[in-house]
Amino acid sequence: MPLNRRTFLEGSVAVGAGAALTTGVAAAPAQAHGPRPKPAKRYSFTVMGTTDLHGNVFNWDYFTDKEFDDKAHNDVGLAKISTLVEQVRKEKGRCNTLLIDAGDTIQGTQLSYYYAKVDPITARRGPVHPMAQAMNAIGYDAAALGNHEFNYGIPVLRKFEEQCDFPLLGANALDAKTLRPAFPPYSMHRLRTPHGRDVKVAVLGLTNPGIAIWDKANVSGRMVFPGLEEQAAKWVPRLRSMGADVVVVSAHSGSSGTSSYGDQLPHIENAAGLVAEQVPGIDAILVGHAHTEIPEYRVKNKETGKDVVLSEPLKWGQRLTLFDFDLVWEKGRWVVEKVGAQVLNSNTVEEDPEIVGLLADEHEKVVAYVNQVIGTSSATMATAEAPWKDEPIIDLINHVQAETVRKALAGGAYAALPVLSQASCFSRTAAIPAGRVTIRDAAGLYVFENTLEARLLTGAQVKDYLEFSARYYVQTPAGAPVDTAKLTNADGTPDYNYDAVYGVTYEIDIARPAGSRIVNLSFDGKPIDPAAQFVLAVNNYRASGGGAFPHVAKAQQLWANSDEIRNTIIQWVKAEGSIDPGRFASVDWKLTRDGVPVF
């Protein structure tokens, strides 16, 4: 039975298949059924988990318009997850399982974008979001909020929540005025045992505090996001006092105890491991956000000395986590005797035909949409070598961004300042073909829903920015062989945290240590003036502190746009009708060693 949100607000109980569910901030204590069970009676159950689904229903890449594949031959999508889930339910017994998610559900593919922006679920008589349809059909019991749930604004998120038959949990997503939970903090599930007393399993949802920065425009003044540890410490004892035999946390937060955003982030971004270590009373944590695979990771709680089992299934529905719980009846209550975790690989099964059939029409609509022709290109451009060469395809992004900002500032106080632009290689397989260019070609250059801003920097700050970006390269002595497979991503820096800056010329001496690599930085043919002012066209992720680049997050904002950069590129191609690299492409930066170009 779908969760009735009116009765939830009144503190009632919804009954699901094989388990009773309560969500909110209050719940009735469990009632014993029948005589007290004898000691040593046992019960086992399984909690299945996914995370970072990012709009993937089918094993399909809308940017390449073909079946998804990668070097490891992973598969993606809820249709595959559904098959795995049904296999586990058949093996364990449906009434002995729960299925939860750790967030980032409604953003990431053109399928999810289409139903947020093109045919929005918020429209009058609008469609039901494909992710809600699929997750309802599969039978999810609860899902934590991810930071990307907020990308399209609160109205889209609330409509998605309304369409789900399961609660979206966020104990640390609070109303900014009342500081009360803006979403259900937890859900409580009863699993019926053959021994006279149900097992009560509490699922506590925690989301990422970075939402306050990354989606500031959508949440500022409306919601606040305190740290995971403090909210877990508040709620776990309450859940235990309400009779929870087992407490599972679904946390959209990595396990490493680190943050990627410097002092811009007020709370720790990847705090799941710290929650396990610092908050007693948790049995297992489904980890999300970091896009890594952790089959099983044990953290000892400092207060109790007990192990807390963490697991993170790989993103996009590539893996399904299984937490297997063994309980024993002791002294009048259920006690967790053993917990183990593992992940199942979705490439071992076929897509569930029920899910495929359910959303076939939506899939076909999106395929038709992304294949619309919007213009032509006089040459083929690709990102394959963009991580180490100044490629025309990245210049295209930067040219569109700089031109957009220049037009926006025209006639104002900053119109005379030179406009620079930053862009990253988000995908090494993106391409613009010679000839007809489609929406998917253009959208493939910018796979994130970033928006565009203009920030004011000095020449000295631009140099600092470039030095920080150049940390991306592995130091390679002059004369030593250069292997492009080992040249980039130094210290784990992802491609999306390496920026090429357009509008200046410079060299990156990779023989030098990080922090002193930028050589011959010039503007308009002359060495850059450290005191000169420049406008930087920059995405909102970077402007809000994403990647912890220096200066930009605290720099004066001159202008901001609410439209995605991806759409700005699409509209530019439509307006121009054709893409001619000769109009915007030039080699303005290069890798060198002692003044000698590497390539």
Side-chain angles (χ1 to χ4, degrees), residues 277-341:
E277 182 181 75
Q278 297 176 13
V279 181
I282 298 170
D283 296 297
I285 302 179
L286 177 66
V287 179
H289 183 62
H291 289 203
T292 57
E293 181 177 345
I294 306 174
E296 182 183 88
Y297 173 47
R298 292 179 178 268
V299 175
K300 195 170 293 296
N301 183 266
K302 285 184 175 180
E303 182 173 326
T304 66
K306 294 181 179 179
D307 281 354
V308 181
V309 177
L310 284 70
S311 181
E312 181 175 6
L314 199 57
K315 64 185 184 299
W316 305 346
Q318 295 179 46
R319 303 289 186 273
L320 176 70
T321 278
L322 304 186
F323 291 105
D324 291 312
F325 292 85
D326 293 331
L327 276 61
V328 62
W329 182 261
E330 288 183 353
K331 298 179 181 179
R333 65 188 183 96
W334 286 110
V335 176
V336 175
E337 188 175 46
K338 180 181 176 184
V339 186

Side-chain angles (χ1 to χ4, degrees), residues 111-129:
L111 179 72
S112 54
Y113 177 82
Y114 186 89
Y115 287 98
K117 291 287 190 176
V118 182
D119 186 12
I121 61 174
T122 50
R124 188 178 177 213
R125 299 180 181 176
V128 177
H129 199 289

Side-chain angles (χ1 to χ4, degrees), residues 111-231:
L111 179 72
S112 54
Y113 177 82
Y114 186 89
Y115 287 98
K117 291 287 190 176
V118 182
D119 186 12
I121 61 174
T122 50
R124 188 178 177 213
R125 299 180 181 176
V128 177
H129 199 289
M131 295 301 286
Q133 291 191 60
M135 295 174 81
N136 289 343
I138 295 169
Y140 273 77
D141 293 288
L145 294 163
N147 54 285
H148 284 287
E149 259 65 84
F150 295 84
N151 286 173
Y152 297 120
I154 302 298
V156 170
L157 175 53
R158 287 300 190 190
K159 189 64 178 181
F160 175 70
E161 180 187 29
E162 179 186 314
Q163 293 176 342
C164 291
D165 293 344
F166 52 91
L168 301 183
L169 308 177
N172 61 327
L174 310 181
D175 181 275
K177 294 180 180 178
T178 66
L179 297 184
R180 293 176 61 83
F183 295 86
Y186 66 89
S187 56
M188 192 75 79
H189 309 263
R190 287 182 184 272
L191 300 177
R192 297 183 175 92
T193 77
H195 302 301
R197 185 194 161 188
D198 298 344
V199 170
K200 291 182 69 175
V201 181
V203 178
L204 178 68
L206 297 170
T207 192
N208 205 288
I211 295 166
I213 294 174
W214 308 325
D215 270 301
K216 182 178 180 180
N218 291 327
V219 301
S220 182
R222 304 180 70 179
M223 293 184 193
V224 294
F225 303 87
L228 283 81
E229 306 100 305
E230 69 172 77
Q231 292 302 304

Side-chain angles (χ1 to χ4, degrees), residues 243-491:
D245 301 296
V246 180
V247 173
V248 177
V249 174
S250 183
H252 192 75
S253 181
S255 63
S256 63
T258 62
S259 291
S260 306
Y261 306 94
D263 60 6
Q264 294 298 311
L265 194 57
H267 302 283
I268 294 174
E269 175 191 0
N270 297 305
L274 296 175
V275 170
E277 182 181 75
Q278 297 176 13
V279 181
I282 298 170
D283 296 297
I285 302 179
L286 177 66
V287 179
H289 183 62
H291 289 203
T292 57
E293 181 177 345
I294 306 174
E296 182 183 88
Y297 173 47
R298 292 179 178 268
V299 175
K300 195 170 293 296
N301 183 266
K302 285 184 175 180
E303 182 173 326
T304 66
K306 294 181 179 179
D307 281 354
V308 181
V309 177
L310 284 70
S311 181
E312 181 175 6
L314 199 57
K315 64 185 184 299
W316 305 346
Q318 295 179 46
R319 303 289 186 273
L320 176 70
T321 278
L322 304 186
F323 291 105
D324 291 312
F325 292 85
D326 293 331
L327 276 61
V328 62
W329 182 261
E330 288 183 353
K331 298 179 181 179
R333 65 188 183 96
W334 286 110
V335 176
V336 175
E337 188 175 46
K338 180 181 176 184
V339 186
Q342 60 176 308
V343 295
L344 303 182
N345 194 329
S346 64
N347 72 6
T348 62
V349 296
E350 298 298 320
E351 292 184 323
D352 183 342
E354 179 183 343
I355 303 301
V356 172
L358 178 68
L359 293 166
D361 289 345
E362 286 83 348
H363 174 68
E364 291 304 320
K365 282 182 182 178
V366 176
V367 168
Y369 163 74
V370 299
N371 281 291
Q372 291 179 41
V373 175
I374 55 174
T376 61
S377 176
S378 63
T380 297
M381 297 180 287
T383 58
E385 296 186 324
W388 53 85
K389 289 184 180 179
D390 186 350
E391 290 287 274
I393 197 165
I394 304 299
D395 287 343
L396 172 61
I397 299 172
N398 272 321
H399 176 73
V400 172
Q401 291 182 163
E403 188 176 275
T404 301
V405 167
R406 202 173 288 115
K407 289 180 179 178
L409 298 179
Y414 302 95
L417 292 182
V419 178
L420 313 181
S421 179
Q422 62 78 221
S424 304
C425 177
F426 292 136
S427 167
R428 297 192 184 192
T429 59
I432 297 291
R436 298 194 305 172
V437 177
T438 64
I439 285 177
R440 67 178 173 84
D441 295 325
L445 297 183
Y446 223 103
V447 297
F448 299 109
E449 274 76 28
N450 296 148
T451 57
L452 188 61
E453 296 190 16
R455 296 284 178 125
L456 186 64
L457 297 180
T458 65
Q461 290 175 328
V462 170
K463 186 176 187 297
D464 288 346
Y465 190 100
L466 289 169
E467 287 286 10
F468 187 88
S469 184
R471 302 179 315 152
Y472 172 72
Y473 295 105
V474 174
Q475 187 173 4
T476 310
V482 176
D483 180 356
T484 56
K486 299 177 181 178
L487 177 62
T488 62
N489 308 104
D491 297 321

